[in-house]
Amino acid sequence: MTAVVAGGGSGAGAGVGRPAPVRGGAVAVAAGVGAWLFVPVVGRISLTEVAAVLLAPAAVLALLRVRRIGPAVLLTGSAWIGGLVLGHLLHPAPATTLAKAVASAGVFVLTVGLVCGILRAGSDGERGPRDLLIAGFAVGQAVGIVLTPPDYAALDPWKFGVGQSVTLLVLIAVSRWAHRYDRVAVPAALSLLAALHLVLGARSLSLFAIVIALAAVLTPRVPWRRGWPRLVAVAVAAGLAGVLLGQLYTQLATDGDLGAAEQQKVSFQTGDFGIAVGGRKDVVFLVSGVLQSPITGWGPSARVPSEVKSEAVLWLREHGYPVYGYDLLTYVLPDSLYLHSVLLGAWVTGGVLGFLAWLLVFCVVLRGLARAVRDRALAEAYMLLVAAWHVLFSPLGDSTRGHIAVAVALALTATVGRAHQQREEHPGGDGGHDRVPDDPGDGTIRWPEQGPDEDGGEPEGHHPGQDRAHRALAPAGLQPDHQHLREHHHGGDRDVAPHRRDGGLE
C-alpha cells in the first residue's frame, strides 16, 4: 500500500499489463471496506484509519501534493489541534479527554491524505479507483453494521447504517446497468427508496435520496462547462424539496399515519420553525455555547456554565418547543454540551481555530458535490451530500469521521478520471464547450485554450500527432499517413500521443 500511496499509476510499468491501476483498484476497495471495520483502540478506530496512522509520512506527503488545498487542510487541521490544546489549558479536564480529541483530529487529517494518495496513485487517468472506493465503502457499511456495529446502531439499524448502504448500492447498480436511461431509472429507484426511508422514520435519508433524484433529472448527461445556473437550480429544487418533505412528514406523523412512535416524536419537535429546529435542538445549545466563548471555546470536555444551557432552554420555550424527557437527559443535565454537529462542536471545543478548520472542510465537500453533480457522478454526489450533512448535524464519531475523510479525499481529487468518464460516455466528442478540463494536480479545473475553430474545438477529423508529423516530415517533402496515426493514437500508442493522467496530451 505504501507504494500505491507514494507512487503513481502512470509510467513505464503502467503501460504493460497495467499493474499499478489494478493494484490501486484493489487498495481502493480495501480502503472503502476498511472505513467501516473497527478495532477498539483509543475508543474505536477503523482499519483504514489504522493504515493512515501506520503510513503517516506517505499520507502527509500525498496531502501536500494536492497543491494549495491539500496543505491548507493540513495547516488548518494542525491549527485545530492547537485550538484543542489551548482550550484544554484554559478549561482543564482529564488528560485522556484531550488525548482522544487530539488523536481524533490527527487521524482524520491522515486519513484524508491516505485516501488522496490511493486515488491519485491508482487512477492512471481513469475513474476506476474512485468507483471502486465508493462501492467498497457501500459494501463495507453493510458489513460493518453486522461485524463491528456502533452502540447506537441497535436503536435503528436502518437509519444508522443499512439504509444508507442500500441506497448507495442501488444508486451504483442503476447508474451502471441502466446508464442510457439513468435520467429515468435513477429518479424512479431513488423515489421508491425515499418513500421507504420516510416510512421507516429515516427523514434525512429520504431527503438525500430526493436531492440526488432531482440532480439526476435536472443535469444533462453531457458534463457541461458553465454550469452554475443548473447547479443553482438543483440547489433551489433541493431546498424546496426539503421544505415539502418536512411538511409532508410532519402531517403524516401528526395524523398517526407513520405509527405511534413517530407521532410522539414529532409532537416533541413542533415549534415556530418546525422540525428544522425541533429535530436538532442540540444545535441551539451549541450556538449558545459558541456565543459565550467564540474565540477559545470550552476545551475538549465542552463543559459549560449552567447559564449557557439555561439560555438555550429559554430560547426553545419562547419559540414553542417543549423541553422535557429526552431533552433534559441529553442536553440539560450533563455537565458537557452534546456535540451533535461537527462544525459547531469543533468551535465549542477548539475555538475559532477548530471552526475555521471545519469550515474549510465543509467548503471542500460542497465544491466536490457541485462537481460530482455536474459530471453526473451520482453515487459520489450522494456520499458528498451525506458528508456535508454530517459536518452540520452529526457528531464527530468513529463512523462520521471516516465518512467525511473519504468524502474530502474524493473532493480534493475530483478531476482524476474526468477525461476517462467523458471518453466512455461520448467517444466521438464534439470538441465544443463540453470538453474535459485539464487537471493541474491541485484540485482545480483549468480549461484548455480554444482551438482555431469558433467553438474552441479542433477541426473535424483532426487528431493528436498530425501537426507534429507535418513538422517532422515537411523538410523531406513527405506527407504523414493520418489513418496510421489515428489507429496508433486510438490504440494507445504512447510514442505517437502520450497521455497525461488527466487524459490530456503531454
Short mmCIF file of all heavy atoms in Angstrom, two decimals, residues 141-142 145-146 149-166 197 200 202 205:
data_model
loop_
_atom_site.label_atom_id
_atom_site.label_comp_id
_atom_site.label_asym_id
_atom_site.label_seq_id
_atom_site.Cartn_x
_atom_site.Cartn_y
_atom_site.Cartn_z
N GLN A 141 -20.09 -0.61 4.68
CA GLN A 141 -21.07 -0.11 5.64
C GLN A 141 -22.07 -1.20 6.03
O GLN A 141 -22.44 -1.32 7.19
CB GLN A 141 -21.80 1.11 5.08
CG GLN A 141 -22.65 1.84 6.10
CD GLN A 141 -23.11 3.18 5.61
OE1 GLN A 141 -23.14 3.45 4.42
NE2 GLN A 141 -23.50 4.05 6.53
N ALA A 142 -22.50 -1.98 5.04
CA ALA A 142 -23.42 -3.07 5.34
C ALA A 142 -22.75 -4.16 6.16
O ALA A 142 -23.34 -4.71 7.09
CB ALA A 142 -23.97 -3.65 4.03
N ILE A 145 -21.94 -2.87 9.88
CA ILE A 145 -23.08 -2.77 10.80
C ILE A 145 -23.39 -4.12 11.43
O ILE A 145 -24.05 -4.20 12.47
CB ILE A 145 -24.32 -2.22 10.06
CG1 ILE A 145 -25.30 -1.56 11.05
CG2 ILE A 145 -25.02 -3.29 9.27
CD1 ILE A 145 -24.83 -0.27 11.59
N VAL A 146 -22.88 -5.20 10.81
CA VAL A 146 -23.07 -6.55 11.34
C VAL A 146 -21.87 -6.98 12.19
O VAL A 146 -22.04 -7.49 13.31
CB VAL A 146 -23.29 -7.56 10.20
CG1 VAL A 146 -23.38 -8.98 10.75
CG2 VAL A 146 -24.55 -7.21 9.41
N PRO A 149 -20.64 -3.17 14.79
CA PRO A 149 -21.63 -2.09 14.83
C PRO A 149 -21.35 -1.12 15.97
O PRO A 149 -20.87 -1.51 17.04
CB PRO A 149 -22.95 -2.84 15.07
CG PRO A 149 -22.54 -4.06 15.83
CD PRO A 149 -21.19 -4.45 15.28
N PRO A 150 -21.64 0.17 15.78
CA PRO A 150 -21.57 1.11 16.89
C PRO A 150 -22.71 0.86 17.87
O PRO A 150 -23.71 0.22 17.53
CB PRO A 150 -21.72 2.47 16.20
CG PRO A 150 -22.46 2.18 14.94
CD PRO A 150 -22.03 0.80 14.51
N ASP A 151 -22.59 1.38 19.06
CA ASP A 151 -23.60 1.15 20.09
C ASP A 151 -24.98 1.67 19.67
O ASP A 151 -26.00 1.03 19.93
CB ASP A 151 -23.17 1.80 21.40
CG ASP A 151 -21.92 1.16 21.99
OD1 ASP A 151 -21.66 -0.01 21.66
OD2 ASP A 151 -21.21 1.84 22.75
N TYR A 152 -24.99 2.83 19.02
CA TYR A 152 -26.27 3.44 18.68
C TYR A 152 -26.97 2.73 17.53
O TYR A 152 -28.16 2.97 17.27
CB TYR A 152 -26.09 4.92 18.34
CG TYR A 152 -25.08 5.18 17.25
CD1 TYR A 152 -25.40 5.03 15.90
CD2 TYR A 152 -23.79 5.58 17.56
CE1 TYR A 152 -24.49 5.26 14.91
CE2 TYR A 152 -22.85 5.83 16.56
CZ TYR A 152 -23.20 5.67 15.24
OH TYR A 152 -22.27 5.90 14.26
N ALA A 153 -26.26 1.86 16.80
CA ALA A 153 -26.88 1.17 15.67
C ALA A 153 -28.04 0.29 16.11
O ALA A 153 -28.99 0.06 15.36
CB ALA A 153 -25.85 0.34 14.93
N ALA A 154 -27.97 -0.21 17.35
CA ALA A 154 -29.05 -1.07 17.84
C ALA A 154 -30.37 -0.30 17.94
O ALA A 154 -31.44 -0.91 17.88
CB ALA A 154 -28.66 -1.64 19.20
N LEU A 155 -30.30 1.03 18.10
CA LEU A 155 -31.52 1.82 18.21
C LEU A 155 -32.29 1.84 16.89
O LEU A 155 -33.52 1.82 16.89
CB LEU A 155 -31.18 3.25 18.63
CG LEU A 155 -30.47 3.40 19.97
CD1 LEU A 155 -30.08 4.86 20.20
CD2 LEU A 155 -31.36 2.91 21.11
N ASP A 156 -31.57 1.92 15.79
CA ASP A 156 -32.21 1.99 14.47
C ASP A 156 -31.19 1.57 13.41
O ASP A 156 -30.53 2.43 12.81
CB ASP A 156 -32.72 3.40 14.20
CG ASP A 156 -33.66 3.46 13.01
OD1 ASP A 156 -33.60 2.54 12.17
OD2 ASP A 156 -34.44 4.42 12.91
N PRO A 157 -31.03 0.27 13.16
CA PRO A 157 -30.02 -0.19 12.20
C PRO A 157 -30.22 0.38 10.80
O PRO A 157 -29.25 0.63 10.09
CB PRO A 157 -30.19 -1.71 12.21
CG PRO A 157 -30.86 -2.02 13.51
CD PRO A 157 -31.74 -0.85 13.80
N TRP A 158 -31.47 0.58 10.39
CA TRP A 158 -31.73 1.10 9.05
C TRP A 158 -31.23 2.53 8.92
O TRP A 158 -30.52 2.88 7.98
CB TRP A 158 -33.22 1.04 8.73
CG TRP A 158 -33.54 1.52 7.34
CD1 TRP A 158 -33.93 2.77 6.96
CD2 TRP A 158 -33.47 0.75 6.14
NE1 TRP A 158 -34.10 2.84 5.60
CE2 TRP A 158 -33.84 1.61 5.07
CE3 TRP A 158 -33.15 -0.57 5.86
CZ2 TRP A 158 -33.87 1.17 3.76
CZ3 TRP A 158 -33.19 -1.01 4.54
CH2 TRP A 158 -33.55 -0.14 3.51
N LYS A 159 -31.55 3.35 9.89
CA LYS A 159 -31.17 4.76 9.85
C LYS A 159 -29.66 4.94 9.97
O LYS A 159 -29.07 5.78 9.30
CB LYS A 159 -31.87 5.53 10.96
CG LYS A 159 -31.49 7.00 11.06
CD LYS A 159 -32.24 7.67 12.19
CE LYS A 159 -31.82 9.14 12.32
NZ LYS A 159 -32.54 9.82 13.43
N PHE A 160 -29.03 4.15 10.81
CA PHE A 160 -27.62 4.36 11.14
C PHE A 160 -26.66 3.45 10.37
O PHE A 160 -25.51 3.29 10.79
CB PHE A 160 -27.40 4.18 12.63
CG PHE A 160 -28.08 5.23 13.47
CD1 PHE A 160 -29.08 4.88 14.35
CD2 PHE A 160 -27.73 6.56 13.35
CE1 PHE A 160 -29.72 5.84 15.12
CE2 PHE A 160 -28.36 7.53 14.12
CZ PHE A 160 -29.36 7.18 15.00
N GLY A 161 -27.09 2.87 9.27
CA GLY A 161 -26.15 2.07 8.51
C GLY A 161 -26.75 1.37 7.31
O GLY A 161 -26.36 1.62 6.16
N VAL A 162 -27.72 0.50 7.52
CA VAL A 162 -28.24 -0.33 6.44
C VAL A 162 -28.91 0.52 5.35
O VAL A 162 -28.69 0.30 4.15
CB VAL A 162 -29.23 -1.38 6.99
CG1 VAL A 162 -29.82 -2.19 5.84
CG2 VAL A 162 -28.54 -2.28 8.00
N GLY A 163 -29.71 1.50 5.75
CA GLY A 163 -30.44 2.30 4.77
C GLY A 163 -29.52 3.06 3.84
O GLY A 163 -29.74 3.12 2.62
N GLN A 164 -28.48 3.65 4.39
CA GLN A 164 -27.54 4.40 3.57
C GLN A 164 -26.78 3.47 2.63
O GLN A 164 -26.56 3.79 1.46
CB GLN A 164 -26.56 5.17 4.46
CG GLN A 164 -25.63 6.09 3.70
CD GLN A 164 -24.64 6.79 4.61
OE1 GLN A 164 -23.48 6.93 4.28
NE2 GLN A 164 -25.09 7.20 5.78
N SER A 165 -26.37 2.31 3.14
CA SER A 165 -25.65 1.35 2.31
C SER A 165 -26.52 0.86 1.16
O SER A 165 -26.07 0.79 0.00
CB SER A 165 -25.20 0.17 3.17
OG SER A 165 -24.60 -0.84 2.37
N VAL A 166 -27.76 0.52 1.44
CA VAL A 166 -28.68 0.05 0.41
C VAL A 166 -28.89 1.12 -0.66
O VAL A 166 -28.85 0.85 -1.87
CB VAL A 166 -30.03 -0.37 1.03
CG1 VAL A 166 -31.08 -0.59 -0.06
CG2 VAL A 166 -29.86 -1.63 1.86
N HIS A 197 -37.58 5.13 3.18
CA HIS A 197 -36.89 5.80 4.29
C HIS A 197 -37.88 6.57 5.16
O HIS A 197 -37.80 6.56 6.40
CB HIS A 197 -35.83 6.77 3.75
CG HIS A 197 -34.69 6.10 3.07
ND1 HIS A 197 -34.13 4.92 3.52
CD2 HIS A 197 -33.97 6.45 1.97
CE1 HIS A 197 -33.12 4.58 2.74
NE2 HIS A 197 -33.02 5.48 1.78
N LEU A 200 -39.90 4.36 7.36
CA LEU A 200 -39.09 3.80 8.43
C LEU A 200 -38.53 4.85 9.38
O LEU A 200 -37.75 4.54 10.28
CB LEU A 200 -37.94 2.98 7.84
CG LEU A 200 -38.36 1.73 7.05
CD1 LEU A 200 -37.14 1.05 6.44
CD2 LEU A 200 -39.13 0.76 7.93
N ALA A 202 -36.51 7.42 8.74
CA ALA A 202 -35.18 7.96 8.43
C ALA A 202 -35.36 9.19 7.53
O ALA A 202 -35.20 9.12 6.30
CB ALA A 202 -34.32 6.90 7.74
N LEU A 205 -32.29 10.38 5.35
CA LEU A 205 -32.01 9.50 4.21
C LEU A 205 -33.02 9.73 3.09
O LEU A 205 -32.68 9.67 1.90
CB LEU A 205 -32.04 8.04 4.64
CG LEU A 205 -30.97 7.59 5.65
CD1 LEU A 205 -31.06 6.09 5.88
CD2 LEU A 205 -29.58 7.97 5.17
#
